[in-house]
Amino acid sequence: MPFAKLLLSVFLLLLLLQPSFAQNTIKIQVINANNHHVPVVGATIQTIGRRYFMLSNENGFFELDQMIINKNDSLKITCIGFQAITIFVSDLLNHPLIQLKETTTELGEVNVYANESFKTVIGNVDSKGGNTMNLSFGDKVALFIPNLGIQHGYVTKFRYFAKPNFGLEDHYTEPFLIQLYSVDSVHGNPDKSLLKEALLLKANKRNKWNEFDLSQYCIPIPSNGIFVSFSLLNQQEYNYQEKYIETYSVLEQKRVPIKRVVSPKISFSMNIYKNLHNWIYREKSRKWSEFPASLGTFMLGLEVQVYE
């Protein structure tokens, strides 16, 4: 009898605590300040000074867990095409809405010519994804793209082919970093970063090319070519997505659930392009090395606005 009373007491206590647990999560929406009816999809929300971050969903919403984030924390909200802002968590408790202002593209550093212009896609242009490659946390891959005779042109879009894996059907939606590099004239490896900081992105189309607008950065194509890179975050930054997934067990001859930190994978096609060269950067060795072209070509690319 005493044991039964103890169980009943614990059960009642859990019922009493349940509402307070529910209140620990705050739902916040990110919207376009110029049009309040339009949600901002894929905005990055990061705690300043810590490794915790979130991404807004297809309706512009994300959730703050007050068990992890406290009201004295500051959040940095960024998204391509919008001005970054910083806001205190305490300011969101009573007004759970964030407004981002659109960034006006300034072409002051780009010479615009009076004659005709056109857009062209450079890099890997395959219509279908081949295989995918596993990367360790913090690793990068880069694809060298030659100039192709472009004298006056700048980058308008980054292109990445997202291919889901068997047993990891939703891993392709996890965030990754991109960067553009100049070419080392001596060794031919990625050299100086062309973006002030790597951009955090995530794909939303499976088995298709995903495109991201980079026109606001006004990056000209260097005469000796350009590198476009894809990299994973470190394991601590992916831990917020740690979850149980299903995979096939050879020993048990069936699909079993396992706990795994989910991260995206880089896709590559079996087509080998003469002028495109793969490079890989390992976090452990902290250096770039050329990846065998015989294995295929990383499915990365750029769209360029060309002025004739």
Side-chain angles (χ1 to χ4, degrees):
M1 253 332 251
F3 181 71
K5 288 184 177 180
L6 178 62
L7 287 178
L8 180 61
S9 300
V10 171
F11 177 72
L12 292 174
L13 180 62
L14 289 173
L15 287 179
L16 290 172
L17 290 175
Q18 191 172 7
S20 64
F21 282 131
Q23 294 172 2
N24 283 329
T25 300
I26 305 172
K27 199 170 186 179
I28 299 168
Q29 188 180 30
V30 186
I31 61 172
N32 188 326
N34 303 100
N35 188 338
H36 293 185
H37 299 288
V38 178
V40 177
V41 181
T44 302
I45 302 92
Q46 184 172 9
T47 51
I48 295 177
R50 294 202 280 156
R51 295 186 181 277
Y52 190 81
F53 70 91
M54 298 137 283
L55 293 166
S56 59
N57 64 19
E58 63 276 7
N59 296 313
F61 284 100
F62 68 94
E63 293 184 350
L64 282 183
D65 188 345
Q66 294 187 85
M67 300 295 289
I68 301 174
I69 296 176
N70 60 63
K71 65 180 182 180
N72 295 321
D73 281 333
S74 295
L75 301 178
K76 182 179 181 181
I77 298 92
T78 58
C79 187
I80 291 178
F82 294 88
Q83 298 177 22
I85 65 168
T86 302
I87 190 169
F88 286 106
V89 172
S90 56
D91 294 336
L92 296 172
L93 297 180
N94 297 321
H95 189 61
L97 189 69
I98 296 173
Q99 300 184 44
L100 295 184
K101 295 181 179 179
E102 294 181 4
T103 301
T104 303
T105 302
E106 298 180 1
L107 300 179
E109 298 181 4
V110 177
N111 293 320
V112 179
Y113 297 85
N115 43 0
E116 294 185 358
S117 67
F118 63 92
K119 290 182 180 179
T120 183
V121 174
I122 59 176
N124 194 319
V125 294
D126 278 1
S127 59
K128 294 183 179 180
N131 298 321
T132 56
M133 174 183 176
N134 286 316
L135 292 175
S136 298
F137 297 108
D139 286 354
K140 309 174 188 179
V141 297
L143 181 68
F144 168 72
I145 306 173
N147 177 279
L148 299 178
I150 299 172
Q151 294 183 1
H152 312 294
Y154 70 98
V155 176
T156 54
K157 290 180 182 178
F158 162 79
R159 306 179 76 244
Y160 162 66
F161 194 96
K163 181 178 174 64
N165 270 15
F166 175 75
L168 288 170
E169 282 76 10
D170 64 345
H171 77 93
Y172 72 95
T173 63
E174 302 304 329
F176 55 87
L177 294 168
I178 72 156
Q179 180 60 274
L180 303 179
Y181 295 96
S182 63
V183 182
D184 185 296
S185 58
V186 177
H187 302 99
N189 58 277
D191 189 17
K192 295 179 180 179
S193 301
L194 300 180
L195 289 165
K196 290 183 179 179
E197 58 181 347
L199 300 178
L200 184 68
L201 305 174
K202 69 170 184 176
N204 54 23
K205 298 177 183 177
R206 57 186 293 167
N207 290 320
K208 291 183 179 179
W209 284 96
N210 289 259
E211 296 184 334
F212 305 88
D213 185 11
L214 299 183
S215 58
Q216 70 187 75
Y217 300 102
C218 303
I219 299 173
I221 299 295
S223 59
N224 62 341
I226 190 171
F227 273 102
V228 55
S229 80
F230 166 103
S231 62
L232 295 188
L233 308 174
N234 61 44
Q235 185 168 357
Q236 289 78 16
E237 290 169 322
Y238 278 119
N239 275 345
Y240 82 107
Q241 287 286 34
E242 192 173 19
K243 56 188 175 182
Y244 282 95
I245 60 175
E246 281 194 351
T247 188
Y248 185 80
S249 170
V250 178
L251 294 176
E252 300 180 47
Q253 294 295 304
K254 64 178 182 180
R255 292 176 66 80
V256 297
I258 60 171
K259 196 172 186 180
R260 183 179 297 179
V261 179
V262 178
S263 63
K265 302 181 187 300
I266 181 68
S267 301
F268 63 94
S269 63
M270 299 310 297
N271 284 337
I272 302 171
Y273 296 93
K274 287 183 179 180
N275 297 320
L276 303 183
H277 304 288
N278 304 314
W279 286 73
I280 187 165
Y281 176 94
R282 294 296 188 185
E283 180 67 18
K284 289 184 178 179
S285 62
R286 293 187 174 275
K287 65 178 182 179
W288 288 99
S289 57
E290 195 157 8
F291 190 77
S294 58
L295 298 179
T297 306
F298 295 138
M299 298 197 73
L300 300 171
L302 299 171
E303 180 187 88
V304 180
Q305 181 82 37
V306 180
Y307 296 95
E308 294 184 317

